[in-house]
Amino acid sequence: MTTATLPRTSRLTFGGILKSEFIKLFTLRSTFWCILIVVVLSVGIGLIIATVNPPARAGVPAAGPLTVAAQQADAVSYATAGSQIGELVLAVLGALVITGEYGTSMIRSTLAAVPKRLPALIAKALVLAITAFVVGVVSIFGTAAIIFPLLPGTKKIHPDWTDWHVLESLMGGALYLVLVALIAFCIGAIIRNSAGGIAAALGLILVLPGLVGLIGGLTQITWIENIANFLPSAVGGNLSHYTGTKTQVVSGIISLDRLDSGLVLLAWFVVLFVVAAVLLKRRDA
Amino acid sequence: MIEAIGLTKRYGQKTAVDGINFQVQPGRVTGFLGPNGAGKSTTMRMIVGLDRPTSGTVTLNGKQYADLKAPLHEVGVLLDAKAVHTGRSAYNHLRAMAATHGIGSKRVDEVIALTGLESVARKRVGGFSLGMGQRLGMASALLGDPSILILDEPVNGLDPEGVIWVRTLARHMAAQGRTVFLSSHLMSEMAQTADQIIVLGRGRVIADAPVADIIALAAGNAVRVRTPDADRFAKELAGTDVTVSVTEPDLIVVNGLAAARIGELAASSRVVLHELTPLAGSLEDAYLALTEDDVEYHASDIEDTK
């Protein structure tokens, strides 16, 4: 039997933890499935919207030619349409990154190696963010690169790659995917259960906006309608809107521009991350 | 060295570990023995900082686990065999664990070979048997070549060969001057592996002594005597501090007298002996005697609830 002794030059470092989390993320099949689905959804839905023209309805006058700005807005919305479903898949991935460890007790191995705990949580979030960013940029800019050349023929739309706002909107769409994944990750870290974490994350992104919107619409109570405008999916949508207005309040209803929407979304993440971090420190693993 | 002082863990109303004090010394194997639910695993989780003590402290070579600069080098821990993501291969699991400390892939291959996992290292852990999972847990524990080894039920699910392997490894590591602390509810296993035994019952240390002392604690040293004159000899032997029971017409069991003394008494009383056997106390007996009042689930309870 041999227990060859190691040179004790190796020690726990944040770089090492980061590398470890990269290895963990990319040695699971679910990661590759999620990434593949996001890319396929983005390109597929983009292609369908860009190439299929609904037949003209009798009695509905044909729309006139679009302004240049309206053409860019449409082009951007086609390129980001698929990622609005892809975001749900990234939310699932984000939650699984941490709940998968609780479900399998892997978290005990992780925290035994990183007993201060917080570096492990930060490394996980960072690895997820980088991955989601690359996936977001590839899928959204890739979709744009595929469908923009088709649009002049199919929709009489002439996308303008040199328009800074087009690039900004596409980048906004990619950043939204990053923050959705991170928010789901925090919820997963708080709930520590895959089914619960995914349900809560999707509830926040998918169900809550409809619910709050419905109540707001029925009651016409201003603050309830404003809550709807601050939910992650609402501010996330603003991130990739080409024709964003300046932040303004019209008869009590707040609407946010791209930058403010990004800050609100960031705030969602920061608050949830702090809660997750405090709980991780305090709870038994 | 591992040192616990007043270590306590309460879950709501229930006290799992009740203010225990103990030291685990380097250079020998210390067994941690106790019935299920005695608090062994909770104690071990507190040692490596996974569970927060309600009160008290536990230190490793004078430091709290969370303050160690290179935890995997200082402490190797096997808490439960399947603290591994089931979707990942054994090799990738070890690679990810090693990466945190900058441990190279050479060492990963080494521990895979050491634990005999070569044939399954590239397979997903979800399909592992209990024994294979246990080997992977041991590989993780050994990854950093630690000076303290903490193993919770290491032989659980292992085949006889694996059991011997763990035993040899534990002894070997201790001989190198490392601290080896392993828990088990198998008394026989402890008798063969440990030098020192800490017995835990209902969250309290009920014994902390060398193995030989624990065995000696086994109630009395009985001697079995077979003789055609059982009744007569039993009467002659009986006295203060000596209990004699006639179990069969020609068989008596004597407590409180050495076998040699019984032989002398038989000679002087002209009693024919067919058998004179000292019954060594086993660790099992000692353990049962020690924990009799401290187990949560008594076999007799099953009778009672009928």
Side-chain angles (χ1 to χ4, degrees):
Chain A
M1 177 174 325
T2 160
T3 45
T5 42
L6 290 175
R8 292 296 168 85
T9 49
S10 50
R11 54 160 45 198
L12 185 63
T13 59
F14 186 71
I17 300 170
L18 208 55
K19 188 180 169 195
S20 169
E21 291 301 332
F22 258 110
I23 294 171
K24 281 193 204 165
L25 186 60
F26 287 97
T27 50
L28 289 178
R29 286 185 200 171
S30 54
T31 305
F32 293 98
W33 280 115
C34 286
I35 291 174
L36 185 71
I37 291 170
V38 172
V39 174
V40 167
L41 276 176
S42 178
V43 174
I45 291 175
L47 269 176
I48 292 170
I49 301 180
T51 54
V52 176
N53 275 314
R57 287 235 170 88
V60 179
L66 295 169
T67 63
V68 173
Q71 288 182 30
Q72 305 313 319
D74 279 3
V76 167
S77 74
Y78 297 160
T80 55
S83 70
Q84 307 211 332
I85 301 170
E87 74 183 83
L88 303 179
V89 180
L90 277 172
V92 170
L93 179 65
L96 279 180
V97 162
I98 184 93
T99 59
E101 291 214 0
Y102 281 102
T104 58
S105 298
M106 174 69 199
I107 193 73
R108 291 195 181 146
S109 296
T110 300
L111 297 182
V114 189
K116 297 247 188 252
R117 299 188 176 189
L118 227 44
L121 191 73
I122 294 168
K124 271 188 191 302
L126 216 51
V127 166
L128 176 67
I130 293 167
T131 306
F133 181 71
V134 172
V135 171
V137 166
V138 167
S139 61
I140 290 176
F141 281 82
T143 305
I146 292 168
I147 67 170
F148 279 10
L150 306 174
L151 289 176
T154 56
K155 303 273 186 184
K156 296 190 176 63
I157 285 173
H158 297 270
D160 181 3
W161 279 110
T162 62
D163 181 344
W164 173 244
H165 289 299
V166 170
L167 300 178
E168 210 179 51
S169 304
L170 296 177
M171 190 56 85
L175 287 176
Y176 173 52
L177 293 181
V178 173
L179 281 158
V180 161
L182 286 175
I183 287 169
F185 168 77
C186 296
I187 292 172
I190 293 165
I191 294 181
R192 306 201 291 185
N193 170 285
S194 290
I198 290 170
L202 295 188
L204 176 66
I205 297 162
L206 209 57
V207 181
L208 206 56
L211 197 64
V212 176
L214 180 71
I215 296 169
L218 287 175
T219 57
Q220 297 284 310
I221 297 170
T222 310
W223 64 267
I224 294 180
E225 293 182 85
N226 277 330
I227 286 179
N229 290 340
F230 280 81
L231 290 176
S233 42
V235 288
N238 296 341
L239 277 182
S240 58
H241 269 176
Y242 178 82
T243 45
T245 49
K246 284 275 162 220
T247 297
Q248 56 186 353
V249 183
V250 179
S251 58
I253 302 295
I254 304 164
S255 56
L256 299 171
D257 64 15
R258 198 196 312 276
L259 181 63
D260 289 338
S261 296
L263 292 175
V264 169
L265 201 55
L266 198 62
W268 272 96
F269 163 63
V270 170
V271 169
L272 286 168
F273 189 82
V274 169
V275 173
V278 169
L279 288 176
L280 181 71
K281 270 290 206 185
R282 291 168 57 113
R283 290 197 285 210
D284 290 340
Chain B
M1 186 177 86
I2 306 170
E3 184 170 25
I5 301 168
L7 196 61
T8 303
K9 181 70 184 179
R10 272 191 284 276
Y11 298 104
Q13 289 293 305
K14 188 169 164 51
T15 303
V17 176
D18 195 358
I20 60 173
N21 301 290
F22 64 83
Q23 290 185 352
V24 180
Q25 301 289 348
R28 57 187 181 182
V29 177
T30 303
F32 200 27
L33 195 59
N36 291 332
K40 303 186 298 289
S41 295
T42 305
T43 302
M44 286 183 151
R45 280 201 306 272
M46 284 194 282
I47 295 173
V48 294
L50 291 176
D51 281 14
R52 178 195 292 260
T54 308
S55 64
T57 57
V58 58
T59 54
L60 301 128
N61 297 333
K63 284 185 194 155
Q64 301 230 330
Y65 186 80
D67 295 330
L68 299 177
K69 294 274 178 273
L72 293 189
H73 284 317
E74 299 188 53
V75 183
V77 60
L78 167 78
L79 283 177
D80 45 78
K82 295 242 164 154
V84 176
H85 199 299
T86 44
R88 204 171 279 128
S89 72
Y91 174 75
N92 283 328
H93 169 74
L94 292 170
R95 206 157 59 93
M97 296 302 295
T100 58
H101 284 58
I103 298 169
S105 60
K106 191 167 151 277
R107 179 63 185 168
V108 172
D109 293 337
E110 257 172 37
V111 294
I112 286 174
L114 193 63
T115 52
L117 281 171
E118 294 101 329
S119 61
V120 292
R122 307 278 169 169
K123 294 201 174 111
R124 295 205 294 168
V125 176
F128 275 25
S129 65
L130 182 57
M132 281 300 170
Q134 202 71 283
R135 283 167 183 272
L136 177 56
M138 289 297 293
S140 304
L142 295 172
L143 198 55
D145 191 25
S147 59
I148 298 176
L149 202 56
I150 297 172
L151 309 173
D152 195 3
E153 302 275 357
V155 301
N156 231 359
L158 289 183
D159 51 19
E161 205 183 328
V163 172
I164 292 168
W165 179 79
V166 168
R167 193 183 298 157
T168 316
L169 179 88
R171 300 240 39 102
H172 177 73
M173 299 284 273
Q176 290 179 330
R178 303 178 207 239
T179 305
V180 181
F181 190 36
L182 54 94
S183 80
S184 179
H185 60 271
L186 298 173
M187 300 66 82
S188 49
E189 182 51 40
M190 281 293 170
Q192 297 181 69
T193 315
D195 304 299
Q196 178 85 9
I197 289 186
I198 299 171
V199 183
L200 203 65
R202 289 206 180 173
R204 293 207 175 106
V205 173
I206 37 185
D208 183 352
V211 172
D213 292 9
I214 298 269
I215 292 174
L217 280 173
N221 281 320
V223 180
R224 190 165 62 208
V225 182
R226 198 178 292 273
T227 166
D229 289 328
D231 281 334
R232 178 166 71 92
F233 194 41
K235 286 194 186 87
E236 283 182 25
L237 288 174
T240 47
D241 298 333
V242 181
T243 55
V244 183
S245 47
V246 182
T247 54
E248 283 173 41
D250 65 339
L251 189 68
I252 54 181
V253 175
V254 184
N255 270 296
L257 277 177
R261 182 76 193 122
I262 295 171
E264 286 162 19
L265 288 170
S268 65
S269 312
R270 306 186 64 79
V271 170
V272 175
L273 295 186
H274 292 167
E275 183 190 348
L276 182 64
T277 313
L279 302 173
S282 69
L283 185 56
E284 199 130 339
D285 296 330
Y287 170 79
L288 288 173
L290 278 169
T291 60
E292 201 171 19
D293 302 324
D294 292 299
V295 289
E296 288 209 83
Y297 314 100
H298 286 277
S300 59
D301 289 348
I302 299 169
E303 292 292 319
D304 295 344
T305 53
K306 267 183 193 169

